[in-house]
Amino acid sequence: MKNDNIKNQYRVNEQIRVREVRIVGDGDSIVVPTRQALDMAREQGVDLVEISPNANPPVCRLIDYSKFLYQQKKRQKEMKAKQVKVEVKEIRFGPQTDEHDYQFKLKHAKEFLEEGNKVRAYVFFRGRSILFKEQGEVLLLRFANDLEEYGKVEGMPSLEGKKMFLYLAPKKAGAQKKSQQARDREAAVAEAKENARQSQSTEAGAEKPANGGLLANAKISADALKKLTESED
């Protein structure tokens, strides 16, 4: 089907029914009656191929049509191969992911972004671990902060069912200096992490308070990240 589409793009030989055509080739062009152009093609053992039908007069070339089609297909194939296919790679965390596992996944995320892929990071809350959703948000904000040089945040962490998502798109090539918003967010995330450790050690797995503490710091981090995404649009 694709080959037929390529063939149908061009009129050849007797399919060309205009009065005269412009023949181009070797940096030169001449306008001749179509019948004369067909005679020239037969004498050279090639085809008269209309390559620009909307020109006045239409532009044609004296070429081997089979070879011309082959070159067109090859060019289309090369262009398709050069097109970058952006994939979405997933990174999964638990609300209490340990440091070793975090660094391992951070390394993979950097590789994905450097390859031009998007990253969808999420925290999965199993059972009563949903009580630690604020801790999951802080983890995702830290993740975004650590990938500052590699990816751009496409949206704030959002909870969908038992999963909290964060989306990152690869940055364009070229080193970029950290903005003031990025530095503010980095400080806020560090503060939220410290509060999370303190809250975890004092409450020992109990429910977190509805306001203040970890949640307040998570909101500070979220505000800083929001400012950063707005500034980079």
Side-chain angles (χ1 to χ4, degrees):
M1 183 64 70
K2 290 182 179 180
N3 293 344
D4 291 338
N5 291 337
I6 295 175
K7 287 181 180 179
N8 293 333
Q9 288 180 5
Y10 306 97
R11 288 186 293 186
V12 185
N13 297 328
E14 281 73 16
Q15 294 176 349
I16 304 172
R17 298 179 180 177
V18 294
R19 183 176 180 179
E20 59 183 12
V21 296
R22 179 181 298 277
I23 299 177
V24 297
D26 298 328
D28 193 12
S29 70
I30 56 172
V31 177
V32 297
T34 303
R35 179 52 54 189
Q36 182 179 341
L38 289 169
D39 291 340
M40 293 169 62
R42 279 191 290 267
E43 290 174 2
Q44 298 180 28
V46 294
D47 301 290
L48 180 67
V49 181
E50 185 182 62
I51 59 174
S52 184
N54 296 325
N56 186 22
V59 178
C60 298
R61 292 183 64 187
L62 300 175
I63 52 177
D64 184 323
Y65 186 51
S66 297
K67 185 177 180 181
F68 174 73
L69 285 179
Y70 171 77
Q71 291 174 340
Q72 291 295 103
K73 294 173 192 175
K74 184 178 179 181
R75 188 176 294 111
Q76 286 188 1
K77 191 173 181 180
E78 290 174 349
M79 290 177 63
K80 187 176 180 180
K82 290 180 180 179
Q83 291 178 348
V84 178
K85 293 183 179 180
V86 178
E87 298 182 14
V88 179
K89 303 291 186 178
E90 284 196 342
I91 300 290
R92 171 176 169 170
F93 294 102
Q96 295 176 310
T97 299
D98 61 45
E99 185 64 23
H100 180 270
D101 191 30
Y102 175 84
Q103 293 298 332
F104 178 77
K105 293 178 178 179
L106 180 66
K107 178 182 176 182
H108 280 290
K110 289 178 181 179
E111 293 173 353
F112 293 149
L113 291 169
E114 286 179 330
E115 291 169 358
N117 298 306
K118 291 188 176 183
V119 170
R120 178 170 63 183
Y122 69 93
V123 179
F124 179 68
F125 301 98
R126 190 187 303 274
R128 288 178 58 82
S129 67
I130 193 67
L131 298 173
F132 299 95
K133 60 180 181 294
E134 293 87 2
Q135 191 168 328
E137 182 179 11
V138 172
L139 187 151
L140 290 177
L141 291 172
R142 175 193 175 189
F143 190 66
N145 184 75
D146 290 343
L147 293 171
E148 164 74 16
E149 298 179 7
Y150 303 89
K152 177 182 178 181
V153 177
E154 291 192 324
M156 298 300 295
S158 59
L159 185 64
E160 299 177 18
K162 293 184 178 181
K163 296 179 180 179
M164 182 176 287
F165 292 95
L166 176 74
Y167 294 86
L168 295 163
K171 277 191 174 180
K172 294 181 180 180
Q176 298 184 12
K177 294 183 179 179
K178 286 189 177 181
S179 63
Q180 182 60 49
Q181 290 91 341
R183 291 192 290 271
D184 291 343
R185 177 165 56 84
E186 188 174 21
V189 171
E191 184 179 353
K193 285 167 57 182
E194 180 60 28
N195 277 274
R197 285 194 291 269
Q198 292 178 4
S199 178
Q200 186 176 6
S201 61
T202 55
E203 298 185 19
E207 279 193 38
K208 301 293 183 298
N211 296 296
L214 177 59
L215 178 57
N217 283 282
K219 288 181 178 178
I220 292 173
S221 301
D223 290 341
L225 180 56
K226 185 176 181 180
K227 289 180 182 178
L228 176 64
T229 56
E230 290 175 349
S231 67
E232 291 184 345
D233 287 339

